[in-house]
């Protein structure tokens, strides 16, 4: 397994959190959550703008959390026109505009692709966001969009989709999880280890999540919900060279879900998988 190394831009933050951790654990926890909930800024290339220009672009005003009444503006996209809709969900720091090859293939096969920039991503409003907000937003999008034939989620978008289908009274015919995270506690732990966050700060982080977001972090884990994802059929696609969504963890998840179809490839890792020809062909075959 490839060991993850902090980029230079985050080493100062890691050092600061380490220094503050023991004398000021509450402050360190607040700084950690602020950093953790701020997605990286994106610069869109001309190829991204081509994908956007081919879309029908719109906006939605949705409530920001289930426990708050204020709203957030989301940028929305649709490609093609069909009774068979596919909802495409990007991951952390991602965009629907990254998935040109998948969108083109779906539209050519007779599907309408709908998507949106998650809060604090792309052309949507907000500076910080989190998985709790993503699940709430996705549920509202499904309510407004009407029935969808399938949801395709990449990375954190896959975990978002699966947890939403566990928690809400929503069922879809097909769910595709591509390079998807399967456990929020697991990737939090990886970040704690990477930043060398002391246990006293970890405890404060999870207390603040519970207080601010009304959510126990430990519950955001698909290992707790075997056979409870409300999709008629599920396909998991992953890459044995992925250093973000760990293949070992996905293998353990698949052992719990004997009914899930799976495709494991030897490709180029976490991000390029969405334009892999074998993956696209498998997804189309699964949706049909």
């Amino acid at each position: 397994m490839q060991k993850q190394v902090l980029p230079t831009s985050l080493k100062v933050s890691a050092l600061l959190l380490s220094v503050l951790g023991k004398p000021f654990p509450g402050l360190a926890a607040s700084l950690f959550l602020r950093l953790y909930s701020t997605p990286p800024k994106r610069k869109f290339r001309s190829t991204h703008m081509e994908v956007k220009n081919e879309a029908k672009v719109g906006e939605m005003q949705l409530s920001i959390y289930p426990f708050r009444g204020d709203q957030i503006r989301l940028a929305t996209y649709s490609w093609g026109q069909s009774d068979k809709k596919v909802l495409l969900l990007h991951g952390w720091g991602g965009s629907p505009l990254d998935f040109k090859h998948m969108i083109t293939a779906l539209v050519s096969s007779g599907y309408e692709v709908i998507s949106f920039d998650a809060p604090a991503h792309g052309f949507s409003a907000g500076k910080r966001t989190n998985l709790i907000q993503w699940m709430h937003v996705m549920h509202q999008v499904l309510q407004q969009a009407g029935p969808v034939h399938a949801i395709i989620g990449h990375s954190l978008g896959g975990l978002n989709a699966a947890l939403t289908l566990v928690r809400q009274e929503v069922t879809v015919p097909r769910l595709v999880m591509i390079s998807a995270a399967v456990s929020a506690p697991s990737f939090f732990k990886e970040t704690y280890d990477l930043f060398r966050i002391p246990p006293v700060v970890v405890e404060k982080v999870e207390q603040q999540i519970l207080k601010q977001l009304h959510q126990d972090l430990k519950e955001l884990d698909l290992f707790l919900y075997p056979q409870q994802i409300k999709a008629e059929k599920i396909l998991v696609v992953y890459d044995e060279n992925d250093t973000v969504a760990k293949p070992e963890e996905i293998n353990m998840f698949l052992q719990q879900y004997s009914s899930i179809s799976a495709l494991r490839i030897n490709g180029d890792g976490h991000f390029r998988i969405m334009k892999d020809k074998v993956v696209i062909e498998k997804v189309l075959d699964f949706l049909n």
Side-chain angles (χ1 to χ4, degrees):
M1 181 188 300
Q2 181 177 333
K3 184 178 180 180
Q4 292 197 55
V5 178
L6 274 176
T8 304
S9 60
L10 291 179
K11 286 182 179 178
V12 174
S13 299
L15 178 61
L16 177 62
L17 289 169
S18 178
V19 170
L20 289 175
K22 291 184 179 179
F24 305 106
L27 176 60
S30 296
L31 291 174
F32 174 84
L33 281 175
R34 185 180 181 88
L35 179 67
Y36 203 78
S37 61
T38 305
K41 292 185 178 180
R42 287 288 304 272
K43 289 185 178 180
F44 292 106
R45 301 188 298 271
S46 58
T47 51
H48 291 117
M49 300 315 295
E50 289 172 6
V51 179
K52 184 184 179 191
N53 291 337
E54 292 170 357
K56 180 180 178 181
V57 179
E59 291 185 355
M60 280 185 175
Q61 294 287 339
L62 302 175
S63 70
I64 195 166
Y65 286 111
F67 48 85
R68 279 172 49 180
D70 47 329
Q71 294 194 324
I72 189 168
R73 176 188 56 78
L74 290 191
T76 63
Y77 310 94
S78 67
W79 295 266
Q81 189 169 2
S82 172
D83 293 334
K84 295 191 297 182
K85 294 181 181 179
V86 175
L87 174 61
L88 180 64
L89 301 173
H90 67 76
W92 188 258
S95 165
L97 308 182
D98 293 329
F99 305 134
K100 175 181 179 178
H101 298 82
M102 182 70 74
I103 292 167
T104 300
L106 288 166
V107 172
S108 297
S109 297
Y111 295 99
E112 178 179 347
V113 179
I114 60 175
S115 193
F116 59 91
D117 288 326
H121 285 71
F123 299 92
S124 289
K127 293 182 178 180
R128 284 175 287 279
T129 188
N130 54 69
L131 181 57
I132 311 305
Q133 188 177 71
W134 280 29
M135 290 190 293
H136 181 57
V137 163
M138 177 191 147
H139 185 219
Q140 293 175 88
V141 169
L142 285 173
Q143 288 177 318
Q144 293 196 24
V148 299
H149 176 69
I151 301 173
I152 301 175
H154 174 251
S155 193
L156 190 63
L159 179 60
N160 173 19
L163 283 172
T164 301
L165 293 174
V166 167
R167 292 170 160 231
Q168 302 294 340
E169 292 304 316
V170 179
T171 301
V172 296
R174 301 287 185 272
L175 170 64
V176 181
M177 302 169 66
I178 301 179
S179 293
V182 294
S183 169
S186 177
F187 60 71
F188 262 80
K189 183 181 184 306
E190 287 182 13
T191 310
Y192 295 150
D193 293 343
L194 199 59
F195 278 73
R196 299 180 181 177
I197 303 296
V200 64
V201 177
V202 170
E203 183 179 355
K204 291 291 185 181
V205 166
E206 298 186 4
Q207 288 174 358
Q208 289 187 24
I209 291 173
L210 183 60
K211 181 178 179 180
Q212 296 171 17
L213 301 177
H214 303 198
Q215 175 63 57
D216 185 343
L217 175 63
K218 296 180 181 65
E219 295 176 354
L220 301 177
D221 187 338
L222 289 179
F223 286 101
L224 299 178
Y225 311 106
Q227 313 301 326
Q228 294 182 48
I229 301 172
K230 292 187 283 293
E232 294 173 13
K233 292 187 177 181
I234 303 171
L235 171 66
V236 169
V237 181
Y238 62 117
D239 190 332
E240 62 186 40
N241 299 311
D242 198 328
T243 60
V244 179
K246 300 296 190 295
E248 301 85 359
E249 192 167 76
I250 294 173
N251 284 332
M252 291 173 59
F253 171 68
L254 290 172
Q255 289 173 10
Q256 282 194 339
Y257 253 110
S258 58
S259 60
I260 287 181
S261 301
L263 172 65
R264 176 170 174 157
I265 67 168
N266 182 0
D268 295 320
H270 189 71
F271 297 101
R272 294 187 178 183
I273 193 170
M274 285 291 281
K275 62 181 181 181
D276 186 284
K277 290 182 179 180
V278 173
V279 170
I280 292 174
E281 289 175 3
K282 178 67 175 179
V283 169
L284 291 176
D285 182 61
F286 175 75
L287 296 189
N288 290 331

